[in-house]
Amino acid sequence: MNTTQTTSLIKYLGLHLCLFIGWWILYSHLQGLSVFITYTLLSIKSPSRFGATAEFFFYDTPKVFMLLGLIVYLVGLLRSFLSVEKTRRLLAGKSAVMGHVLAALLGIVTPFCSCSAVPLFIGFVSAGVPLGVTFSFLISAPMVNEIALILLYGLLGWKIAAIYLVTGLSIAMVAGFIIGKLHPENYIEDWVKKLHSDSTQQAAIKISWHDRILFAYHSVTDIFRRIWIYVLIGITIGAIIHGYVPESFMRLVMGVHAWWAVPLAVLLGVPLYSNAAGIMPIVEALIGKGAAIGTVLAFMMSVIALSFPEMVILRKVLKPKLIYMFLVIVTFGIILVGYLFNWVIPVTS
Amino acid sequence: MKKITVYGSGCAACHKLKKLVENLIKENNVTAEVQYSDNFAEMAKLGILSVPAIAIDGQVKSSGSIPKRDEILKWLI
């Protein structure tokens, strides 16, 4: 690194530190701000159902967007160091167990969109990444979502965030492992097996810090443009649940004693497809109203991890039987996690 | 004449990239032929792991995102 690079790096670090301090000051005053907007500025009657709804909305909207901005920016910076190509190189030729663990972990941070599921699948498999390991990656990539993780942390505390991280990774590892044992090679479309991928074509490009920061900044604006509407809809639904749904009703329908709630929540979640950021305010409101944590986490995981469009895309390379296997194993894993947490954490405070 | 192929799986970003390339060609009077492909076998041969991707005369220039206008222009001219 030469002197100009060092000075620009110091300049960037200083700028980021200032921005973060500003972010932190604003973030720690959001509660007071939402109370002020709801009851003083809009003079809504307190206490009232509408007041509770409005307060939730004015508290969650800036909070979710601020957390979202921070995490997408940081992950954007991290991702400027990673690529699908690098992940493939890391996964090829790893021993079975190590492969699943690594695939699940890389699934969180590797830049990936479900529209790339097919080329990625073919590219991984033809480069010698075992099928089971490829599945661990494909399950973990949508399920263990960095946005969901940071929002769970911000809205519900580190314990629930940690539970989500550990169980999500476990499902991805175990499901990939089981699929790997079921001879999945028999259920791949024949044309895929004949392919050989060229893994040498793209040369690595040197990226400067300036480019990395630009990349991270663009990922923030890009994500905000795409999901702000889902987030607002999610917060509105969450706010209405918070203000109007009685706790007794929620405990009855989604409480720990409703044994049927977990599979029902998962089945409801599969056809629903939302962005992780949109679902989180709903998760927050449900848990706040006494819904069991396991049930809500299971619902959230099935919404973000099992998406119907992705299955349709994957059908191009997988025979139906393997798609069913994939769906059944992951659904079963999510239901199991739901029950496990309802059992471990029986009462939500 | 340059042969440009935009690879995609039907996603919104894939079509957006094709439109962007077509517009750039028109605006800058470049003689080039643009086509869209969702042929996964071809993508595998080229080593494309994520879409949208763009290849010019069989050379992959970028994959996994929509490149910046200036960057595409550099490849076109």
Side-chain angles (χ1 to χ4, degrees):
Chain A
M1 208 183 274
N2 59 35
T3 4
T4 25
Q5 278 173 320
T6 318
T7 35
S8 74
L9 190 62
I10 291 170
K11 208 170 69 193
Y12 285 134
L13 276 176
L15 181 71
H16 280 82
L17 192 68
C18 291
L19 281 174
F20 181 72
I21 291 171
W23 183 95
W24 183 251
I25 291 172
L26 187 61
Y27 185 79
S28 40
H29 288 85
L30 288 178
Q31 182 83 61
L33 209 64
S34 68
V35 171
F36 173 76
I37 293 175
T38 311
Y39 303 110
T40 313
L41 215 60
L42 298 174
S43 34
I44 294 169
K45 202 173 80 203
S46 167
S48 68
R49 283 182 188 282
F50 185 64
T53 305
E55 194 190 327
F56 184 97
F57 185 84
F58 290 121
Y59 178 57
D60 260 37
T61 307
K63 187 166 184 176
V64 167
F65 279 108
M66 284 182 78
L67 282 169
L68 206 58
L70 183 73
I71 192 67
V72 173
Y73 186 79
L74 291 179
V75 171
L77 271 188
L78 182 67
R79 279 187 180 161
S80 71
F81 289 93
L82 287 163
S83 68
V84 204
E85 287 77 13
K86 269 190 201 159
T87 295
R88 177 170 70 172
R89 268 205 300 282
L90 283 171
L91 290 179
K94 282 281 173 307
S95 73
V97 176
M98 198 51 210
H100 288 287
V101 174
L102 205 59
L105 287 172
L106 285 168
I108 312 176
V109 285
T110 307
F112 169 74
C113 127
S114 62
C115 56
S116 295
V118 170
L120 180 133
F121 182 87
I122 299 173
F124 272 32
V125 172
S126 58
V129 178
L131 274 166
V133 172
T134 305
F135 272 101
S136 282
F137 179 88
L138 278 178
I139 296 166
S140 153
M143 174 132 78
V144 189
N145 181 298
E146 75 284 357
I147 291 176
L149 189 65
I150 195 75
L151 289 181
L152 275 180
Y153 168 74
L155 301 174
L156 294 159
W158 69 269
K159 276 187 197 152
I160 294 181
I163 287 172
Y164 163 69
L165 177 67
V166 171
T167 53
L169 285 174
S170 312
I171 292 176
M173 288 174 207
V174 174
F177 182 77
I178 295 174
I179 292 175
K181 291 277 170 228
L182 296 173
H183 300 290
E185 56 281 359
N186 299 334
Y187 309 110
I188 291 180
E189 291 294 348
D190 297 325
W191 65 271
V192 178
K193 290 184 211 165
K194 296 189 197 110
L195 292 173
H196 289 283
S197 167
D198 181 353
S199 50
T200 52
Q201 251 237 7
Q202 283 165 304
I205 310 160
K206 264 220 166 317
I207 314 173
S208 69
W209 269 101
H210 181 76
D211 290 335
R212 290 186 199 286
I213 286 166
L214 268 184
F215 175 81
Y217 172 76
H218 284 304
S219 46
V220 175
T221 51
D222 181 51
I223 291 221
F224 270 40
R225 231 196 342 262
R226 273 192 290 137
I227 69 172
W228 67 271
I229 186 78
Y230 293 98
V231 176
L232 279 189
I233 292 171
I235 293 174
T236 309
I237 296 175
I240 292 170
I241 294 173
H242 180 75
Y244 290 93
V245 176
E247 257 183 60
S248 51
F249 173 77
M250 194 55 77
R251 280 193 200 282
L252 186 73
V253 181
M254 288 188 85
V256 272
H257 299 298
W259 65 267
W260 41 267
V262 176
L264 188 70
V266 172
L267 287 181
L268 269 176
V270 176
L272 280 179
Y273 182 60
S274 162
N275 191 279
I279 196 83
M280 220 46 67
I282 302 176
V283 166
E284 179 194 9
L286 287 174
I287 291 183
K289 282 285 169 169
I293 288 180
T295 311
V296 177
L297 275 186
F299 174 67
M300 179 191 96
M301 281 183 172
S302 71
V303 170
I304 58 177
L306 296 167
S307 93
F308 190 66
E310 192 183 333
M311 297 302 139
V312 174
I313 292 175
L314 279 175
R315 172 66 192 88
K316 290 187 178 153
V317 279
L318 307 178
K319 290 183 180 162
K321 201 164 171 186
L322 190 50
I323 302 221
Y324 297 138
M325 267 157 51
F326 171 74
L327 264 177
V328 167
I329 293 171
V330 176
T331 307
F332 187 74
I334 295 176
I335 291 176
L336 208 68
V337 162
Y339 278 124
L340 181 71
F341 283 101
N342 283 351
W343 180 61
V344 175
I345 314 173
V347 195
T348 54
S349 52
Chain B
M1 189 165 74
K2 284 199 163 94
K3 206 176 146 209
I4 303 162
T5 314
V6 174
Y7 290 95
S9 58
C11 58
C14 308
H15 292 295
K16 217 165 132 187
L17 176 59
K18 184 179 177 243
K19 265 246 126 49
L20 177 64
V21 173
E22 283 171 344
N23 288 344
L24 282 173
I25 286 176
K26 244 188 251 160
E27 285 164 25
N28 297 280
N29 293 321
V30 180
T31 34
E33 179 194 315
V34 188
Q35 57 172 8
Y36 180 86
S37 166
D38 58 0
N39 184 334
F40 292 118
E42 220 177 290
M43 290 186 219
K45 257 188 232 139
L46 289 172
I48 294 170
L49 288 183
S50 45
V51 289
I54 180 169
I56 298 178
D57 295 330
Q59 273 279 322
V60 181
K61 293 292 182 187
S62 114
S63 69
S65 64
I66 301 179
K68 278 176 259 164
R69 291 172 71 94
D70 314 347
E71 203 138 357
I72 302 176
L73 260 180
K74 251 192 278 166
W75 300 328
L76 288 177
I77 298 168

